[in-house]
Amino acid sequence: MSATSAFAGLWSSLPESLTPWILDAIQSMGHTHMTPVQASTIPLFMKHKDVVVEAVTGSGKTLAFVIPTLERLIRRESKLRKNEVAVLVVSPTRELATQIHSIFSLFLAAQPRSSVSDEDDDGVSELEYPPPLLLISSKESSPAQDIERFLSTGADIVVGTPGRMEEFLLGQGRTVVNVKELEVLILDEADRLLDLGFHASITRIITHMPKQRRTGLFSATMTDALSELVRVGLRNPARIVVKVQTKKMQKGTQERELIEEQRIPANLQNFYLSCRASEKVVQLSRIIDLETKRHGTSQFIVYFATCACVDYFYRVLPSVLPSSVTLYSLHGHLQPATRTRTLASFSSAASTPSSPSVLLATDVAARGLDLPHVDAVIQFDPPSDTKAFSHRCGRTARAGRSGRAWVLFVGREVEYVDLMAVRKIPLKEHKYLMASGPASGDEDRPEDPAAAIYLEKMRKAVLADRMLNDQAAKAFVSFVHAYSKHEASYIFRVKDLDLIGLGKSFGLLRLPRMPELKDCDRSNWTDAEVDWDTYAYADAAQEAKRLAAQAAKPSSEDVSRRKAERAQQKKRNNAWSDGLAKREERDKRKEKKSRKKKWLKAQAQSTEGDAQSGSAKRAREAPLGSDGDESEDWDALAREERMAKKVKRGEISQKAFDAEFTGL
């Protein structure tokens, strides 16, 4: 399908004409024609219909709700008061909320200014519709300050994330913000709002809204979880699903043309590449090189599984990538202000094929972001959430542009291709990239020699700073943990993963201690030669802390002594149920019994007649020593002898005897 076939007519073909300054703003943005999702959604939304819209990424969903929302605001019969809101837009991430806010701002900045008379002036120029208000968490703005900004600007349109929006409407702003005149409620990336655990917040926001409103749910992927939300918040909604279809020739006895549906942009080439775990970084480097030289790509997004992986590879990849490559880091654990600066810097970077820009990111950058200069996306790790796959790919090939998406598979992960085919996301195999070009598809080929070279380069970088070693171990463990929680667990199984090869791709100096590595064959692994006592942190404060801890480390003698003490304490703490104490008592009684027999024998040999009998009697009645416990012990021994005779005669069972005297 060509780029032009994605257009669905001129803006002038809409049933209701757009306001002139709205149309001028659209054309100034370069949108001369409507996309299918815009042509389908705008007329319904302007005719007071609730809509549930599902369309592939990059299809123009944002304008599909921005334009009719502004038109409804313009066509209001009465002007809103300072504390009244007409439009609420809820987005799952601060980056997407900021982007939507910028689009509303762009349109409202294009409105004509009206002149009003003033007693002290001949006239002043003011905007009829104030700028939109953005509600996202930041150090610069608290919820109380959000209310102040709302009242001072009189914003009719409010865009924000769920938590901040709930605080604005139901927290401090409950008695201030008036939503009785609300015209439109938009939930963008609606399925993601529920996936991130915002269901309760969204439900409270919806129930606080007036029933006489228009509601729109927009996303590239809809889930069953939305059905409840639709029932609660929408009235007889129109379902709009915009599909992408491709033509394919089926060969056989007679060739015929087939029409196939897919859930990715028509101009997107989606490749997968299979390699060993130890070769992933090598392939990442070669894909970037191939893209820049063959397609002139200047901006990339590389997706990793965890925030720790992004942090680590951001620090270590410069050791294996050309110095002309500029790296950016974006993930959810960064401070909001840092994320905003990173995204702005990457978007505005003066990138060229000879000096490309590469954004290393997690799925926080997978949805909704419009980065028009990104022509290639590389999924270093397939996403744990299978729905995120199409969203990642959709960061390129947007608005009719062409683009390429790559994903790296290890071992049996290639079975993911069939899963994506079921979800109408076709993937085309690309041969393994060698330094001289694509390799054959032979699975028995030897390991790429470059893998060992890259391992040494990465280890050299890690050896320069002990903090990188800490980050490497943390990233490795976090990846294995995320891998174990993959939605497609029947494909992504830790026991099938080459953890040794993975350790090489991370440039680890040594393998971390973790249960998953316990039974691994380490014949193909060699620890780096490191003097761990002198291996230092580059940061002076961290190194001082390490040295202090090292100095306080106990000596080998102290360690042995503490080990012996712990063994004694463990012995004292043993449960009575294991019979240890009773067994010790039994052994003590046997020893005393033996001593008694010897003493009696000696007495019998040294005495005669009645004296002997009396002496023996007194011996049985008197203690051996001054300890009063001895007589009690002899009584117990006598009782044990009597019980043993009863066992022999069959009067009691052996089991009862053992329970009484051995505790077994």
Side-chain angles (χ1 to χ4, degrees):
M1 184 181 290
S2 65
T4 55
S5 63
F7 294 132
L10 297 170
W11 294 99
S12 57
S13 63
L14 285 170
E16 296 186 43
S17 299
L18 299 178
T19 303
W21 61 268
I22 294 286
L23 186 58
D24 291 342
I26 294 171
Q27 293 175 342
S28 68
M29 297 167 66
H31 303 297
T32 57
H33 294 74
M34 292 184 291
T35 63
V37 68
Q38 293 162 358
S40 303
T41 305
I42 293 174
L44 291 173
F45 223 30
M46 292 179 68
K47 289 182 178 179
H48 310 288
K49 288 286 292 183
D50 288 351
V51 294
V52 178
V53 181
E54 180 179 0
V56 298
T57 59
S59 58
K61 293 189 294 295
T62 304
L63 287 185
F65 66 77
V66 168
I67 293 171
T69 293
L70 290 171
E71 287 291 343
R72 290 183 61 85
L73 181 62
I74 293 170
R75 299 178 190 202
R76 278 184 57 90
E77 295 181 357
S78 59
K79 190 174 181 179
L80 292 167
R81 297 176 180 175
K82 280 280 186 179
N83 67 333
E84 292 179 335
V85 180
V87 179
L88 290 177
V89 182
V90 186
S91 171
T93 65
R94 56 180 292 110
E95 287 79 15
L96 185 51
T98 302
Q99 181 174 285
I100 295 170
H101 175 265
S102 67
I103 294 174
F104 272 113
S105 299
L106 187 63
F107 273 95
L108 291 174
Q111 65 179 299
R113 293 179 175 269
S114 59
S115 297
V116 296
S117 59
D118 186 75
E119 295 180 2
D120 301 326
D121 201 346
D122 295 336
V124 294
S125 178
E126 68 172 21
L127 293 174
E128 185 174 358
Y129 306 102
L133 177 66
L134 178 63
L135 301 178
I136 56 175
S137 59
S138 66
K139 294 182 179 179
E140 290 75 21
S141 179
S142 64
Q145 291 172 322
D146 289 340
I147 301 296
E148 292 177 5
R149 288 191 295 124
F150 168 67
L151 294 175
S152 63
T153 61
D156 301 329
I157 302 172
V158 179
V159 183
T161 50
R164 208 55 178 260
M165 187 72 77
E166 183 183 10
E167 176 67 25
F168 176 74
L169 297 172
L170 304 173
Q172 298 182 20
R174 178 181 291 274
T175 58
V176 178
V177 182
N178 189 338
V179 296
K180 292 182 179 180
E181 295 296 320
L182 188 81
E183 292 274 348
V184 177
L185 172 65
I186 301 293
L187 302 181
D188 194 25
E189 299 294 351
D191 62 321
R192 185 63 172 162
L193 288 170
L194 303 185
D195 290 344
L196 290 177
F198 293 128
H199 190 283
S201 295
I202 296 299
T203 302
R204 284 192 289 268
I205 290 172
I206 289 176
T207 54
H208 184 64
M209 298 296 103
K211 293 183 178 180
Q212 298 299 323
R213 66 168 194 276
R214 296 283 63 78
T215 305
L217 273 60
F218 292 78
S219 183
T221 53
M222 290 294 182
T223 63
D224 295 337
L226 287 175
S227 58
E228 180 183 350
L229 199 59
V230 169
R231 288 195 300 269
V232 172
L234 284 75
R235 295 180 302 165
N236 193 25
R239 182 73 179 264
I240 301 170
V241 180
V242 179
K243 301 178 180 179
V244 175
Q245 295 180 334
T246 57
K247 295 180 180 179
K248 183 179 181 180
M249 297 301 297
Q250 184 184 48
K251 294 183 179 181
T253 55
Q254 185 177 2
E255 287 193 357
R256 59 173 180 159
E257 188 176 76
L258 294 178
I259 303 297
E260 291 188 346
E261 178 188 341
Q262 62 184 47
R263 292 182 179 272
I264 57 174
N267 296 326
L268 174 66
Q269 292 178 282
N270 218 351
F271 299 108
Y272 75 89
L273 193 152
S274 180
C275 64
R276 291 181 174 87
S278 60
E279 300 166 338
K280 290 184 74 174
V281 175
V282 176
Q283 289 305 285
L284 171 64
S285 174
R286 289 176 181 166
I287 291 172
I288 293 174
D289 184 63
L290 175 69
E291 282 284 341
T292 54
K293 292 179 178 178
R294 180 179 296 179
H295 301 288
T297 305
S298 60
Q299 281 196 341
F300 299 81
I301 299 180
V302 181
Y303 288 101
F304 291 89
T306 68
C307 301
C309 288
V310 172
D311 276 338
Y312 171 64
F313 281 103
Y314 174 71
R315 296 288 304 276
V316 80
L317 280 180
S319 64
V320 295
L321 295 178
S323 58
S324 58
V325 176
T326 304
L327 297 180
Y328 298 85
S329 170
L330 182 67
H331 59 77
H333 289 174
L334 294 173
Q335 292 293 329
T338 304
R339 287 162 56 179
T340 301
R341 285 196 304 269
T342 298
L343 197 58
S345 299
F346 176 72
S347 302
S348 59
S351 309
T352 64
S354 59
S355 57
S357 298
V358 179
L359 177 66
L360 310 182
T362 58
D363 285 336
V364 73
R367 288 180 176 249
L369 297 182
D370 187 18
L371 303 169
H373 302 298
V374 174
D375 291 321
V377 168
I378 305 171
Q379 302 192 58
F380 189 82
D381 304 316
S384 297
D385 181 358
T386 54
K387 295 189 297 297
F389 193 94
S390 60
H391 289 281
R392 287 179 171 187
C393 297
R395 294 318 96 209
T396 185
R398 300 178 66 82
R401 292 166 55 93
S402 62
R404 289 155 304 285
W406 300 74
V407 60
L408 298 177
F409 290 137
V410 174
R412 64 170 294 174
E413 292 175 5
V414 292
E415 297 176 18
Y416 198 65
V417 175
D418 296 331
L419 176 61
M420 290 296 100
V422 171
R423 300 198 173 202
K424 304 186 186 306
I425 302 174
L427 290 165
K428 181 180 179 181
E429 183 180 8
H430 197 288
K431 300 299 182 184
Y432 183 89
L433 293 173
M434 298 294 292
S436 57
S440 66
D442 184 10
E443 295 181 356
D444 297 327
R445 62 174 177 79
E447 185 179 62
D448 192 334
I453 298 173
Y454 275 55
L455 172 60
E456 290 306 313
K457 288 182 177 180
M458 294 171 71
R459 280 182 167 181
K460 184 178 180 181
V462 173
L463 284 169
D465 185 358
R466 189 164 184 148
M467 185 183 70
L468 271 180
N469 176 71
D470 297 345
Q471 287 185 331
K474 181 180 179 181
F476 181 87
V477 173
S478 72
F479 172 82
V480 175
H481 183 70
Y483 200 91
S484 67
K485 295 181 177 293
H486 201 288
E487 281 189 357
S489 57
Y490 63 96
I491 297 175
F492 296 84
R493 299 189 298 183
V494 174
K495 67 178 183 178
D496 296 326
L497 187 60
D498 178 12
L499 294 174
I500 302 300
L502 187 69
K504 292 180 179 180
S505 72
F506 275 72
L508 297 181
L509 301 181
R510 61 183 178 185
L511 295 172
R513 295 179 182 177
M514 54 192 304
E516 291 82 0
L517 286 166
K518 184 177 180 180
D519 299 324
C520 284
D521 179 11
R522 306 195 181 202
S523 59
N524 196 30
W525 173 265
T526 304
D527 286 348
E529 295 183 4
V530 182
D531 184 350
W532 293 97
D533 290 335
T534 60
Y535 184 25
Y537 289 99
D539 181 73
Q542 277 187 302
E543 178 60 14
K545 185 177 180 180
R546 184 189 74 84
L547 292 174
Q550 189 176 36
K553 187 176 180 180
S555 63
S556 58
E557 292 79 5
D558 291 336
V559 172
S560 299
R561 178 177 54 79
R562 291 177 184 176
K563 186 175 181 180
E565 289 176 353
R566 284 196 297 269
Q568 288 295 327
Q569 184 64 37
K570 182 177 180 181
K571 183 179 179 181
R572 287 194 295 269
N573 291 339
N574 270 338
W576 282 94
S577 59
D578 64 4
L580 177 62
K582 287 190 176 182
R583 284 196 295 270
E584 290 180 346
E585 188 66 24
R586 179 199 62 190
D587 294 339
K588 187 185 297 184
R589 287 199 305 270
K590 284 184 178 180
E591 181 183 358
K592 291 180 179 179
K593 181 179 179 180
S594 176
R595 287 165 53 197
K596 176 185 176 182
K597 286 182 177 180
K598 289 180 181 179
W599 185 83
L600 288 173
K601 185 177 181 180
Q603 290 295 318
Q605 292 175 351
S606 61
T607 59
E608 294 179 357
D610 293 337
Q612 176 186 4
S613 177
S615 178
K617 182 178 179 182
R618 287 193 299 273
R620 285 193 294 270
E621 294 174 351
L624 280 175
S626 60
D627 188 355
D629 291 338
E630 291 285 352
S631 61
E632 295 177 4
D633 290 338
W634 283 13
D635 290 338
L637 287 171
R639 188 165 59 89
E640 184 177 349
E641 288 179 6
R642 290 194 299 272
M643 293 286 285
K645 291 178 181 178
K646 290 183 179 180
V647 171
K648 190 173 182 179
R649 292 194 300 267
E651 295 177 5
I652 63 172
S653 66
Q654 182 67 42
K655 185 176 180 181
F657 178 86
D658 291 340
E660 175 69 16
F661 294 100
T662 66
L664 298 177

